[in-house]
Amino acid sequence: MSFLSLENVTHHYFTKKNVTRALDDISFSLDEGEFVSLVGPSGCGKSTILSIVSGIMQQTKGKVLLDNHPVREFPGAIGYMLQQDYLFPWKTIIDNVLLGPKIQQKTSADIRKKALELLSEVGLKNVEDDYPDSLSGGMRQRVALVRTLVTDPKVLLLDEPFSALDYQTKLNLEDLVHKLLRQYHKTAILVTHDIGEAISMTDRIFVMEANPGRIAKTFEVPIELRDEIPFLVRRHSKYQPLFDKVWAALNGEEIQKNTG
Amino acid sequence: MLSKIKEMKLTVIPWFIPLVLLLGWQFFSWIGVIPERILPAPTSVFSSAIELTSSGELFSHVSISLTRALVGFLIGGIIGFLFGLFNGVFRIADLLFDTSIQMLRNIPHLALIPLVILWFGIDETSKIFLVALGVLFPVYINTYHGIKYVDKSLIEMGKAYGLKGTALFFHVILPGAMSSILVGVRFSLGVMWLTLIVAETISAHSGIGYMAMNAREFMQMDVIVLSIVLYALFGKLSDVIARYLERRLLRWNM
């Protein structure tokens, strides 16, 4: 029995003049604690899938089930982490992190303690009373990660969360996010443009194609790579062959598009 | 120790030029380069201030002017803020009111003085009305603008967290608009003094402006200069208040 599953999800965008098929018959399922990634060209509907899973967008056809119930029945079950951190500049770090619990009226000494623990776990000790403007981009993104984790979501959606960071910060954060997701046994979907990131962090890779958006190919990441620290995965002997295969799958798609 | 000296420097330096001007003014009055009937010496301005204070005259004029300024500012500020708020938040209010307010805004409110005197006479109402009218528009424009241009993605983020209605307003929209609102407040404090000075000088039987006009009749140069100095001090005071508000409400922006 799978934890999160998409069954024949199809989505159309309607404009006044025409209808675009953004997603065509997407089906996949995740076990609890599984971490998958979506890679593909711009406009292939990667982010649309996340919006549908999170319930922000309603699919035209198909089902999204969490524990065999429609995902909409679980408010607060989905945590979202985006390219930008969207921290509120007028709230201190701790107030930003505890905004979710505060709105759900679940603030308590326990959750505050948990938030502080998580902050120190991501290397942010003694900054809880600072304002976001005094933190660097990487630190802010770590705060955003803590904010996502503190509400204890069932599923995490990561929409290119590292793409606005410098390379060094990005590699460090990849390791950190990978570690935390494993540690808390979180189910997660990562959207990325970076093949290396997909291979080094996730268990399965869905390569998508555009017009209409669908899953072209699925790659299982070899078991030896899955539990390795992302940074070390990139030097593993099994890394490059997989990279080449995913690359070929992505480019095959591009060539088809150019000739057709 | 070093930082203390530096801090003292920072407080002293801004007052350097006013002090030099004052000393120069006093010096040239002494040696007779500035005749008494053109510009009285600072000492004679100061002594007339003491004289008027001991007779209680100064206090009553100052308190009347301050009351007018404050009441007018509060009335105009609150109306401007509320209109800015509703027009910024609700589309229907925006459609209904904004065009009219923009039309009224472009009439110089001081041009209404003859009309206001005919309507309200030269009593308190006319001054307060003019100050309120002058203050209203800068507060309105900046509140409206601030609310309209709060970062949309932060609002989305708030909504994604389940914020809506008043909670969304107090957690996201108001703090997001605050720096713009305070720009409006600061600007309108200037308009407040300007309006009051003009109104009191043209038509009044009390207040600092009246004191100056009355002194002109008797050629009391020292009292006229005193009134002007008072306005300068109050201008500085309202700037200090505005800065204090900014420090308190925009702590995150420092």
Side-chain angles (χ1 to χ4, degrees):
Chain A
M1 189 88 62
S2 56
F3 183 67
L4 174 73
S5 63
L6 280 76
E7 293 174 7
N8 312 103
V9 171
T10 299
H11 189 72
H12 300 277
Y13 284 116
F14 297 96
T15 55
K16 275 185 186 154
K17 283 199 184 131
N18 51 7
V19 179
T20 329
R21 204 156 12 132
L23 291 176
D24 183 33
D25 201 23
I26 303 278
S27 296
F28 62 84
S29 60
L30 276 70
D31 293 329
E32 191 164 10
E34 206 179 355
F35 189 3
V36 303
S37 51
L38 301 170
V39 296
S42 308
C44 69
K46 302 180 298 258
S47 297
T48 310
I49 292 182
L50 294 195
S51 298
I52 286 171
V53 171
S54 71
I56 293 174
M57 233 181 239
Q58 177 72 52
Q59 67 274 24
T60 322
K61 257 193 277 178
K63 285 187 212 160
V64 182
L65 300 176
L66 183 61
D67 264 343
N68 288 317
H69 292 278
V71 71
R72 286 173 171 260
E73 289 176 18
F74 304 91
I78 310 289
Y80 225 125
M81 194 172 163
L82 301 160
Q83 185 177 346
Q84 250 127 38
D85 52 68
Y86 297 121
L87 297 176
F88 294 113
W90 45 85
K91 287 181 182 291
T92 57
I93 299 304
I94 190 74
D95 285 347
N96 263 296
V97 167
L98 290 178
L99 184 64
K102 192 174 171 186
I103 291 157
Q104 294 166 20
Q105 300 184 330
K106 282 191 210 146
T107 27
S108 63
D110 280 351
I111 201 132
R112 196 188 153 83
K113 206 178 126 214
K114 186 181 162 196
L116 291 175
E117 274 169 17
L118 277 168
L119 278 173
S120 84
E121 204 162 350
V122 300
L124 294 173
K125 259 190 170 169
N126 304 323
V127 299
E128 63 267 20
D129 294 324
D130 291 352
Y131 289 95
D133 281 5
S134 62
L135 268 54
S136 70
M139 289 162 94
R140 293 172 59 118
Q141 197 58 293
R142 278 183 273 167
V143 174
L145 174 67
V146 171
R147 178 178 62 181
T148 311
L149 287 174
V150 81
T151 50
D152 200 19
K154 290 175 187 290
V155 177
L156 261 99
L157 305 176
L158 311 171
D159 195 351
E160 301 188 40
F162 313 115
S163 55
L165 303 170
D166 63 83
Y167 195 62
Q168 190 193 353
T169 312
K170 169 183 145 91
L171 291 182
N172 282 327
L173 265 184
E174 281 177 17
D175 289 359
L176 180 72
V177 170
H178 181 264
K179 188 188 109 188
L180 285 175
L181 291 184
R182 282 276 182 271
Q183 187 178 327
Y184 293 102
H185 199 60
K186 287 288 174 202
T187 313
I189 304 177
L190 169 74
V191 161
T192 181
H193 276 113
D194 182 343
I195 301 171
E197 191 173 289
I199 296 173
S200 57
M201 292 183 77
T202 62
D203 307 328
R204 239 186 318 160
I205 302 166
F206 298 114
V207 175
M208 295 188 62
E209 58 182 31
N211 303 322
R214 63 173 141 223
I215 294 175
K217 253 184 181 147
T218 306
F219 296 93
E220 293 274 339
V221 176
I223 199 91
E224 302 91 310
L225 301 184
R226 290 188 195 172
D227 292 326
E228 193 62 270
I229 297 168
F231 188 79
L232 298 178
V233 170
R234 291 176 203 257
R235 326 177 168 164
H236 198 283
S237 60
K238 294 206 168 167
Y239 171 81
Q240 198 57 44
L242 182 55
F243 188 101
D244 295 338
K245 273 193 231 162
V246 176
W247 176 254
L250 272 170
N251 282 305
E253 207 275 338
E254 300 261 304
I255 291 159
Q256 262 177 25
K257 223 173 31 179
N258 289 345
T259 51
Chain B
M1 188 63 198
L2 205 71
S3 73
K4 250 190 190 163
I5 292 174
K6 204 175 168 192
E7 222 170 87
M8 251 170 59
K9 265 191 198 159
L10 290 179
T11 12
V12 169
I13 290 173
W15 293 100
F16 182 70
I17 290 177
L19 194 73
V20 167
L21 283 176
L22 198 67
L23 289 175
W25 174 11
Q26 182 67 48
F27 176 73
F28 287 115
S29 299
W30 256 335
I31 62 169
V33 173
I34 306 175
E36 184 79 359
R37 61 189 171 78
I38 301 290
L39 193 63
T43 41
S44 62
V45 173
F46 189 68
S47 67
S48 77
I50 291 177
E51 205 178 296
L52 287 170
T53 311
S54 58
S55 72
E57 205 180 324
L58 187 67
F59 179 76
S60 79
H61 285 308
V62 166
S63 64
I64 283 172
S65 288
L66 279 179
T67 312
R68 285 170 186 159
L70 193 70
V71 173
F73 179 79
L74 283 180
I75 294 174
I78 288 171
I79 294 174
F81 177 73
L82 289 178
F83 267 115
L85 194 70
F86 283 110
N87 293 4
V89 174
F90 302 111
R91 177 134 178 81
I92 181 72
D94 191 7
L95 285 172
L96 196 57
F97 296 119
D98 188 58
T99 305
S100 313
I101 295 176
Q102 296 296 348
M103 275 198 282
L104 288 177
R105 181 173 76 93
N106 286 309
I107 304 169
H109 66 293
L110 293 175
L112 296 179
I113 288 180
L115 197 60
V116 169
I117 292 176
L118 288 178
W119 283 347
F120 303 113
I122 58 167
D123 285 336
E124 296 314 293
T125 324
S126 57
K127 268 66 140 193
I128 290 173
F129 179 84
L130 281 170
V131 171
L133 196 66
V135 162
L136 194 153
F137 296 112
V139 173
Y140 169 76
I141 294 284
N142 286 286
T143 305
Y144 176 79
H145 191 270
I147 285 177
K148 278 262 157 167
Y149 294 95
V150 175
D151 191 345
K152 289 280 174 295
S153 41
L154 288 178
I155 295 180
E156 280 299 311
M157 193 71 211
K159 282 184 182 162
Y161 268 90
L163 284 172
K164 44 183 177 271
T166 47
L168 185 70
F169 178 74
F170 284 108
H171 281 289
V172 184
I173 296 174
L174 188 63
M178 192 50 87
S179 70
S180 176
I181 294 173
L182 287 178
V183 169
V185 167
R186 182 185 267 263
F187 189 79
S188 67
L189 282 170
V191 175
M192 173 185 87
W193 285 117
L194 179 82
T195 312
L196 190 68
I197 293 165
V198 173
E200 281 186 344
T201 308
I202 291 179
S203 63
H205 40 60
S206 58
I208 304 172
Y210 165 78
M211 190 172 82
M213 278 316 271
N214 200 38
R216 185 196 57 119
E217 305 254 336
F218 302 101
M219 284 297 281
Q220 292 169 311
M221 282 305 275
D222 45 356
V223 178
I224 296 175
V225 174
L226 175 66
S227 314
I228 294 167
V229 170
L230 279 177
Y231 280 130
L233 289 179
F234 285 130
K236 176 68 191 167
L237 180 71
S238 46
D239 193 54
V240 168
I241 294 171
R243 268 171 203 267
Y244 171 78
L245 283 178
E246 278 172 16
R247 261 208 305 277
R248 281 299 303 252
L249 295 171
L250 300 179
R251 222 171 330 163
W252 51 274
N253 213 3
M254 295 292 140

